[in-house]
């Protein structure tokens, strides 16, 4: 069992009967879905789930988890997902995948948001290893790119193979690098205020617990 599997198993053990559980997207989230489905089958754990992506929906469906659709919920008990980077104050960077919009909606609607990581995800500052993924409305990407340049961002359209990368929400992605000295809290506010940005990868003030699997042990930061 690797660190991602172990931390996913640990989180699945904390799920209780009656909970509505949000499923994240990515390899760690996949391990969590598998662990949760095992408990559902073997221990008759009574839960419902809501998924943050088509991939997680299909996985949950194949494993027999009772699914609810996002349209029909107003809150959930816990949202469980991975992250690309986690800063010391538990601000996250997400969005290397294509499901940022649903991920942030579920993280915000949840009473608790558990983030599952291995040590490679810990950083001193957001943007240390990856650019910030910024989803832009397709017709607005150049205007958004200009607005990002105005606040010091070097934004490049994300490509895939021969074409442009399109998120599950239908947005284009501007992978954007800012000066390392940029204040992330201020940046979060500025990105929230730019017209044409659908969503971006900074998840500030949303995580309620970070579980880190390292060499067989689980470190828990509340
Ligand atoms: C997808 C995400 C993922 O949670 C993040 O990329 C981590 O993925 P993994 O668990 O595969 O390392 O934010 O948008």
């Amino acid at each position: 069992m690797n660190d991602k599997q172990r931390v996913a198993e640990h989180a699945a053990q904390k799920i209780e009967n009656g909970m509505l559980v949000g499923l994240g997207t990515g390899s760690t989230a996949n391990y969590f879905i598998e662990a949760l489905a095992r408990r559902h089958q073997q221990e008759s754990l009574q839960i419902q789930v809501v998924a943050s992506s088509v991939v997680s929906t299909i996985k949950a469906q194949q494993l027999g988890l009772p699914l609810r659709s996002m349209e029909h919920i107003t809150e959930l008990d816990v949202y469980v997902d991975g992250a690309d980077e986690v800063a010391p104050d538990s601000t996250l960077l997400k969005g290397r995948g294509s499901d940022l919009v649903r991920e942030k909606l579920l993280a915000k609607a949840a009473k608790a948001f558990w983030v599952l990581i291995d040590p490679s995800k810990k950083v001193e500052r957001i943007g240390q290893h990856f650019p910030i993924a910024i989803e832009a409305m397709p017709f607005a990407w150049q205007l958004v790119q200009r607005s990002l340049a105005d606040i010091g961002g070097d934004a490049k359209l994300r490509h895939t193979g021969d074409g442009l990368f399109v998120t599950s929400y239908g947005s284009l992605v501007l992978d954007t690098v800012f000066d390392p000295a940029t204040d992330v809290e201020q940046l979060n506010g500025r990105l929230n205020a730019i017209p044409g940005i659908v969503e971006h990868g900074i998840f500030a003030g949303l995580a309620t617990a970070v579980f880190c699997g390292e060499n067989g042990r689980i470190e828990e930061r509340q």
Side-chain angles (χ1 to χ4, degrees):
M1 206 185 260
N2 63 35
D3 285 335
K4 283 185 177 182
Q5 282 170 300
R6 206 166 278 117
V7 78
E9 188 67 47
H10 178 81
Q13 289 300 327
K14 292 172 105 60
I15 300 297
E16 295 169 12
N17 269 321
M19 281 185 164
L20 175 58
V21 182
L23 307 176
T25 302
S27 58
T28 319
N30 277 344
Y31 287 133
F32 173 74
I33 298 170
E34 286 164 13
L36 195 60
R38 271 195 303 276
R39 286 201 64 205
H40 176 64
Q41 275 169 10
Q42 295 169 6
E43 301 170 29
S44 301
L45 183 71
Q46 297 302 306
I47 47 162
Q48 292 188 316
V49 297
V50 53
S52 60
S53 63
V54 173
V55 172
S56 299
T57 302
I58 292 171
K59 192 162 181 74
Q61 208 169 20
Q62 286 172 341
L63 294 173
L65 286 167
L67 271 158
R68 299 219 13 217
S69 68
M70 196 182 286
E71 288 86 336
H72 300 143
I73 64 160
T74 51
E75 64 172 14
L76 56 157
D77 293 295
V78 59
Y79 177 59
V80 186
D81 201 354
D84 298 312
E85 294 183 347
V86 181
D89 68 352
S90 297
T91 299
L92 318 176
L93 182 68
K94 289 179 56 58
R96 300 243 308 143
S98 57
D99 300 294
L100 201 50
V101 171
R102 288 217 257 171
E103 288 177 353
K104 203 180 270 189
L105 279 167
L106 290 179
K108 174 80 179 144
K111 292 179 201 155
F113 173 20
W114 300 344
V115 184
L116 312 184
I117 59 166
D118 64 21
S120 69
K121 307 295 182 66
K122 288 185 182 173
V123 294
E124 283 309 309
R125 61 169 182 88
I126 290 303
Q128 190 169 317
H129 297 316
F130 300 110
I132 294 166
I134 296 176
E135 287 201 29
M137 294 170 187
F139 54 83
W141 78 266
Q142 292 203 89
L143 294 173
V144 170
Q145 190 180 44
R146 229 281 318 278
S147 298
L148 291 171
D150 287 347
I151 59 167
D154 180 12
K156 295 201 169 42
L157 268 183
R158 190 184 293 180
H159 287 77
T160 173
D162 290 337
L164 289 173
F165 183 88
V166 178
T167 71
S168 57
Y169 190 70
S171 322
L172 297 176
V173 175
L174 288 160
D175 283 317
T176 308
V177 175
F178 292 89
D179 186 293
T182 303
D183 180 296
V184 170
E185 196 182 328
Q186 196 178 56
L187 178 61
N188 182 46
R190 285 180 168 169
L191 295 178
N192 288 344
I194 293 177
I197 290 184
V198 180
E199 200 44 88
H200 60 84
I202 299 174
F203 282 46
L206 292 173
T208 55
V210 177
F211 299 100
C212 181
E214 183 166 16
N215 299 325
R217 287 179 41 251
I218 307 293
E219 177 199 278
E220 188 168 332
R221 190 205 297 164
Q222 293 288 338

